[in-house]
Amino acid sequence: MRPTFLRFVTGSPRLPIGGFASLEPHLTVVLKKPLNPGDSPDLFCPSVMTCQNYIKMPEYSSYDVLKNKFDYAIQNGVGHFSLS
């Protein structure tokens, strides 16, 4: 699962020598807000910008929702490219 996570987040299956601390640019996690304020964040998957090591995460209602959405995004998002 780790290589899949790394490929999803960074576009690479391995970390550089020195691990996460050596990523350039550094790994950044930011809040992803729904476009419509009334939409539940639980409806959306996290997204990434691999060239910037940037993870956009909705504010999920629970850890279980976060885990399920992140697992789904990793399994279905690796190897796909889209503008977000």
Side-chain angles (χ1 to χ4, degrees), residues 59-74:
E59 189 173 1
Y60 294 120
S61 61
S62 69
Y63 174 78
D64 289 333
V65 173
L66 180 148
K67 182 168 178 8
N68 290 334
K69 291 292 186 177
F70 214 94
D71 287 347
Y72 179 84
I74 289 171

Side-chain angles (χ1 to χ4, degrees), residues 2-77:
R2 181 179 171 174
T4 308
F5 168 78
L6 288 172
R7 187 175 301 268
F8 176 71
V9 173
T10 67
S12 174
R14 295 185 188 95
L15 287 171
I17 295 174
F20 278 106
S22 296
L23 281 176
E24 269 308 316
H26 292 294
L27 184 64
T28 303
V29 180
V30 297
L31 181 62
K32 178 180 182 178
K33 294 187 178 187
L35 292 177
N36 298 319
D39 289 346
S40 169
D42 290 353
L43 299 173
F44 302 95
C45 286
S47 58
V48 296
M49 293 172 49
T50 57
C51 57
Q52 297 297 318
N53 300 326
Y54 201 76
I55 304 172
K56 298 180 275 183
M57 294 286 296
E59 189 173 1
Y60 294 120
S61 61
S62 69
Y63 174 78
D64 289 333
V65 173
L66 180 148
K67 182 168 178 8
N68 290 334
K69 291 292 186 177
F70 214 94
D71 287 347
Y72 179 84
I74 289 171
Q75 292 171 7
N76 293 286

